[in-house]
Amino acid sequence: MRHKLEAREYKLLLNPERFLEASPDTVADIFWNEHLKPLIRGLGSRNDDEPRDAGRFDKRSERIVRFWDTPDCDLTRADLALRERLAIEDEARPGARSKITLKLRMPDLFVVAATDLPGNGGKFRTTFEEDIAPLEVDDPKPGNRSIVVPEKPSTRSRFALSTTQKVEWTPSSRTLAGLDQLFPTVLKIVASTRAIPATETALISGPRIHELVFEGPSVNLGAGIIGEFALTLWYFGSDHKPSTIAEISFKCATADGDMPGKSAQRAFDLFVAMQALGAWVNTEHSSKTSLALPKGCGRPVE
């Protein structure tokens, strides 16, 4: 394989209405202290009788997020996602540089690991991670806005190869040709699934998203494997609207591409237990990114 697995990230969508009950900071503390901590302590203590949980949601960051694609959704059809992140204070500043990430994500470990996804020049970073979500799918019946889950909760995995670089994301660069300048293999990847559209094709964006992220807590899964939690809220459109999407995740760096069995079992047990948090869990959507894609490429929020 070309790439070695660097991390595993467990992601669970939450019910955004729970974050209307108080300020996001307050709800984050309640969720950690009254719901996540008890689940972590259900894993048992460490050999030195120390608790596995640590920290609290005391680190807060904000940024603007947009996802891009062609009008015919050529990137989405090729299992690619193009994301722009910009510091909120830079949104109105001319010449501000955005973090542009191109991600290939699909269920086959070996296909993704063997993919070449460089950036342009030397100032880019490529990561290879496993994204783990609940075993669920969107209800296929027309008009239904709910998810279908198995009787026994479990997980599903997709493998993600991402390359990020910081650039001036100007209107003139938002074409397939401009994207190919940033990521020289993107057209080859698109061509593997369908005919390459004209390189002058302009990219279009999904909704403007105000992203609020809380970080700080962690779980010790044993054998040096630490899961670091992040609570993410997405506000579509006005910054003053209630949050549209909420997600809790914990990411574990691997041990040179590996994860010891007991640590992996604890992570699995914790994630399955999180899925049973009742009214805290989102029951309408199975994917955060699909709600943020340009019109026609995902599943728009209603």
Side-chain angles (χ1 to χ4, degrees):
M1 291 189 297
R2 182 187 302 272
H3 302 283
K4 182 181 293 185
L5 192 67
E6 298 177 37
R8 310 179 79 201
E9 186 169 13
Y10 300 76
K11 301 178 179 181
L12 176 67
L13 290 183
L14 299 177
N15 178 2
E17 292 185 2
R18 298 306 302 258
F19 293 85
L20 301 178
E21 299 171 3
S23 70
D25 305 69
T26 299
V27 178
D29 283 337
I30 292 172
F31 184 60
W32 171 245
N33 289 309
E34 298 183 10
H35 299 281
L36 285 182
K37 270 189 180 182
L39 295 183
I40 294 171
R41 292 182 178 180
L43 300 175
S45 60
R46 294 155 54 194
N47 291 336
D48 54 7
D49 290 328
E50 290 294 318
R52 295 189 181 277
D53 59 276
R56 55 184 294 265
F57 284 115
D58 56 358
K59 299 175 184 177
R60 171 179 171 142
S61 59
E62 297 181 64
R63 52 200 174 192
I64 302 302
V65 177
R66 286 185 177 87
F67 285 81
W68 297 80
D69 206 329
T70 68
D72 291 331
C73 309
D74 294 286
L75 300 180
T76 299
R77 294 173 190 270
D79 295 310
L80 293 166
L82 179 63
R83 183 186 66 211
E84 173 193 9
R85 279 178 171 163
L86 181 65
I88 196 164
E89 63 270 16
D90 289 339
E91 188 177 24
R93 186 170 64 84
R97 292 163 64 86
S98 299
K99 282 188 176 180
I100 304 297
T101 297
L102 183 65
K103 176 183 292 187
L104 173 68
R105 182 165 57 186
M106 58 190 302
D108 195 296
L109 164 67
F110 296 99
V111 171
V112 179
T115 299
D116 189 22
L117 190 62
N120 183 12
K123 294 186 177 180
F124 64 86
R125 171 165 168 74
T126 299
T127 59
F128 181 41
E129 300 178 346
E130 181 181 4
D131 286 347
I132 302 170
L135 181 58
E136 60 188 26
V137 294
D138 289 322
D139 192 327
K141 296 179 181 178
N144 283 13
R145 299 194 65 80
S146 60
I147 56 176
V148 179
V149 298
E151 184 175 345
K152 181 181 179 181
S154 189
T155 63
R156 64 182 173 92
S157 291
R158 290 183 294 174
F159 297 90
L161 184 66
S162 305
T163 296
T164 300
Q165 48 198 326
K166 201 166 186 179
V167 300
E168 285 189 42
W169 188 235
T170 60
S172 62
S173 64
R174 298 170 193 164
T175 65
L176 273 184
L179 188 61
D180 188 51
Q181 288 291 315
L182 290 177
F183 304 97
T185 63
V186 63
L187 296 184
K188 179 181 178 181
I189 296 172
V190 171
S192 68
T193 60
R194 59 187 320 206
I196 298 177
T199 56
E200 65 268 19
T201 300
L203 301 176
I204 59 174
S205 78
R208 173 190 183 274
I209 301 166
H210 180 169
E211 182 179 71
L212 174 60
V213 181
F214 296 94
E215 298 174 296
S218 63
V219 54
N220 189 319
L221 297 167
I225 302 296
I226 305 295
E228 297 182 343
F229 284 93
L231 175 63
T232 303
L233 302 178
W234 276 4
Y235 300 82
F236 285 54
S238 170
D239 296 346
H240 305 292
K241 287 183 179 180
S243 60
T244 310
I245 299 294
E247 180 188 78
I248 183 67
S249 66
F250 63 95
K251 180 185 285 192
C252 312
T254 66
D256 195 30
D258 193 15
M259 189 171 182
K262 289 184 178 180
S263 303
Q265 185 67 58
R266 291 188 188 99
F268 177 85
D269 292 344
L270 174 58
F271 192 58
V272 168
M274 288 166 60
Q275 295 177 45
L277 284 173
W280 280 95
V281 180
N282 184 301
T283 57
E284 291 191 8
H285 308 294
S286 63
S287 170
K288 183 176 67 169
T289 300
S290 68
L291 304 175
L293 293 172
K295 186 176 180 180
C297 299
R299 186 175 182 181
V301 175
E302 294 182 352

